[in-house]
Amino acid sequence: MKNNTLIIIPAYNEENTIGNVIKGIRNVAQTSDIVVINDGSSDRTESAAKDAGAFVVNLPFNLGYGAALQTGFKYAVRHDYKYAIQMDGDGQHSPSSLKSLTTEIEKNNTDVVIGSRFLGDNNYNAPALRKIGMKIFSIITNFITGQKFTDPTSGYRAINNDILKFYSNDIYPVDYPDADVIIMLHQAGFRIMEIPVDMNPSLTGKSMHSGLKPIYYLFKMMLSIFVTILREPIREKV
Amino acid sequence: MPLRQQIFAILISIVIFIVIIELVRKRKLREEFSLIWLLTGFLLFILAIWYDLLLAITSLIGASLATSTLFFFGLVFLILINLYYSIKLSAIANQMKNLSQEVGILKSAVSSQQSAVRKKPVVNEANPSEDSDTVKE
């Protein structure tokens, strides 16, 4: 009973939310497989995900968001999925948008569909500081790619098999992959588009950015974008 | 250079040399890393017995004291070796990431296979006449 589309959810200590996220997905997307990448959680994330009916890949220890996500991509490549959707396990990404992401990627007009929190009529409201950060990266990404991205840091995306293979490579930046990945994809000649998605703003907030991490994130992203431009464009190695 | 200093420097370089050879012998240090340390010991030894070389380098780089030349190159050496370790660490972190991802994926495959296998004996218990050989066929 293998389907075309795999939904990848990296989860680190999400026992409270992961079950509902999976149930929410099951309600709207019966024809997709779900894999939860349990990134070395110390709580009951694994059993919560299994109970809700997802397939769980356990990492031996905490590798971080990007590496967990990449595990999902590698899993998808190995099991020959045509499409994959990445979403967060904290409930921020609403399953109601899965349909539109799937429809868009299955048209095969594009390689990546990014679910934007700012397109369309959306009530998503990020903390001020994060909003500024998002705005900066949006400006930089738009400037370099010449394409308009309203939400380059969104972790709610649909991708096709070419991208899955591209992402499974060692060139994938595993710590906080978002805006730099878009630039990398653009330089590699992939087609990217954005569609509006629904968010559950009440559930945002915690996630991976806390403490000194935003500063590191800002620095890392700037450096990563900078060296991505300096590098030879990576042609599709697929 | 006073004789005492010279003897001290020579002793130090010999000790470094012996320690490294010993570590390699006990397989606590890989040959790959030992090379860089042996070169260090060798360089120290050369500088200790050939003071004129140190003076020549000192005047070449425009330092006023032979000791500052030593300290300067000592620092540069430490920085370079740290950089080298950073590069090594990055490579190792990447390999470790790939390995753990692989372990995760393989483990999940194994456990789903095992649960599939575990289901089979249940079928056999329901039909006791059927032994495992017939199931295989």
Side-chain angles (χ1 to χ4, degrees), chain A residues 182-196:
Chain A
I182 294 181
I183 293 166
M184 201 167 79
L185 289 173
H186 173 81
Q187 297 209 329
F190 288 112
R191 298 158 300 171
I192 314 161
M193 66 172 295
E194 258 188 343
I195 61 163

Side-chain angles (χ1 to χ4, degrees), chain A residues 15-175:
Chain A
E15 62 174 357
N16 297 323
T17 51
I18 193 83
N20 283 331
V21 169
I22 294 164
K23 279 173 205 148
I25 296 169
R26 272 278 157 266
N27 285 335
V28 291
Q30 287 87 355
T31 57
S32 299
D33 292 343
I34 305 171
V35 64
V36 170
I37 313 295
N38 176 23
D39 191 11
S41 301
S42 53
D43 65 358
R44 292 185 58 259
T45 299
E46 183 193 358
S47 50
K50 272 188 178 156
D51 289 346
F55 188 79
V56 179
V57 170
N58 287 303
L59 293 176
F61 37 76
N62 186 251
L63 289 179
Y65 178 78
L69 199 54
Q70 195 191 31
T71 311
F73 299 145
K74 287 181 175 175
Y75 178 88
V77 169
R78 212 154 298 184
H79 292 85
D80 289 320
Y81 283 97
K82 274 174 92 173
Y83 309 104
I85 295 173
Q86 58 175 90
M87 65 189 288
D88 288 354
D90 59 2
Q92 186 199 146
H93 299 147
S94 165
S96 60
S97 299
L98 278 173
K99 189 86 206 137
S100 40
L101 281 169
T102 316
T103 318
E104 211 52 65
I105 195 78
E106 281 177 356
K107 281 184 193 161
N108 292 321
N109 294 327
T110 186
D111 300 301
V112 185
V113 183
I114 299 172
S116 169
R117 293 163 281 193
F118 304 115
L119 269 183
D121 48 316
N122 224 313
N123 53 354
Y124 177 65
N125 226 333
L129 204 67
R130 195 185 299 183
K131 231 175 188 170
I132 296 168
M134 285 170 166
K135 192 79 208 154
I136 294 172
F137 287 118
S138 178
I139 292 168
I140 296 174
T141 317
N142 296 349
F143 177 74
I144 295 169
T145 60
Q147 193 180 339
K148 191 170 155 47
F149 292 105
T150 55
D151 192 7
T153 58
S154 166
Y156 200 5
R157 303 175 178 188
I159 58 180
N160 67 15
N161 192 264
D162 290 341
I163 305 287
L164 279 173
K165 286 178 186 153
F166 186 75
Y167 277 174
S168 299
N169 219 292
D170 267 348
I171 50 168
Y172 187 74
V174 286
D175 53 345

Side-chain angles (χ1 to χ4, degrees), chain A residues 198-211:
Chain A
D198 300 329
M199 286 285 151
N200 298 325
S202 54
L203 287 159
T204 60
K206 72 158 198 118
S207 184
M208 53 189 173
H209 301 305
S210 58

Side-chain angles (χ1 to χ4, degrees), chain B residues 99-114:
Chain B
L99 273 178
S100 347
Q101 289 176 330
E102 198 63 39
V103 167
I105 293 173
L106 288 178
K107 246 180 152 179
S108 71
V110 169
S111 66
S112 61
Q113 255 168 21
Q114 275 174 346

Side-chain angles (χ1 to χ4, degrees), chain A residues 1-21:
Chain A
M1 51 153 262
K2 205 176 78 64
N3 296 300
N4 271 342
T5 309
L6 178 72
I7 297 170
I8 301 166
I9 310 170
Y12 177 57
N13 291 344
E14 311 270 22
E15 62 174 357
N16 297 323
T17 51
I18 193 83
N20 283 331
V21 169

